[in-house]
């Protein structure tokens, strides 16, 4: 006696079709998201430092006296006849209240 024919191949074909559809929809979503975020970098870029040019001479400092918050590069030249020194301090003390001593 022969077994009756079965439709097992139809069930397998249906599962294959469903899996292929799910795969293609997933790929489509990825393509749409990639296009939507193209050119949008999530990397944080550090701004370039502000450059201040200062000249030190006897009894004077010429150049910019204020700068916005962030990294600062000082380009200091000695415009005087003796050696000069420039110090940069971070403090909450008012400029007129900073202790100064003769050296």
């Amino acid at each position: 006696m022969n077994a009756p024919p079965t439709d097992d191949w139809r069930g397998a074909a249906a599962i294959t079709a469903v899996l292929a559809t799910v795969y293609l929809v997933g790929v489509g979503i990825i393509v749409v998201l990639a296009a939507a975020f193209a050119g949008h970098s999530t990397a944080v870029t550090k701004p370039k430092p502000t450059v201040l040019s200062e000249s030190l001479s006897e009894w004077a400092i010429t150049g910019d006296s204020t700068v916005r918050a962030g990294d600062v590069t000082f380009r200091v030249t000695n415009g005087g006849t003796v050696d000069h020194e420039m110090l940069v301090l971070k403090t909450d003390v008012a400029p007129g209240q900073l202790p100064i001593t003769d050296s």
Side-chain angles (χ1 to χ4, degrees):
M1 181 179 229
N2 289 341
T6 61
D7 292 330
D8 287 341
W9 65 272
R10 288 185 185 167
I15 290 173
T16 302
V18 168
L19 291 176
T21 302
V22 169
Y23 174 78
L24 291 174
V25 168
V27 169
I29 290 171
I30 290 171
V31 168
V32 168
L33 289 175
F37 290 103
H40 293 78
S41 175
T42 58
V44 176
T45 57
K46 189 174 184 178
K48 292 182 179 181
T50 301
V51 178
L52 294 181
S53 295
E54 305 288 335
S55 178
L56 309 178
S57 62
E58 288 73 32
W59 316 115
I61 299 174
T62 56
D64 298 325
S65 59
T66 59
V67 65
R68 72 182 195 292
D71 292 340
V72 178
T73 298
F74 290 94
R75 296 217 167 108
V76 181
T77 57
N78 185 3
T81 58
V82 297
D83 290 340
H84 290 85
E85 177 180 37
M86 181 172 169
L87 302 175
V88 178
L89 305 172
K90 180 179 180 179
T91 180
D92 293 329
V93 177
Q97 300 299 315
L98 290 171
I100 300 174
T101 59
D102 292 334
S103 57

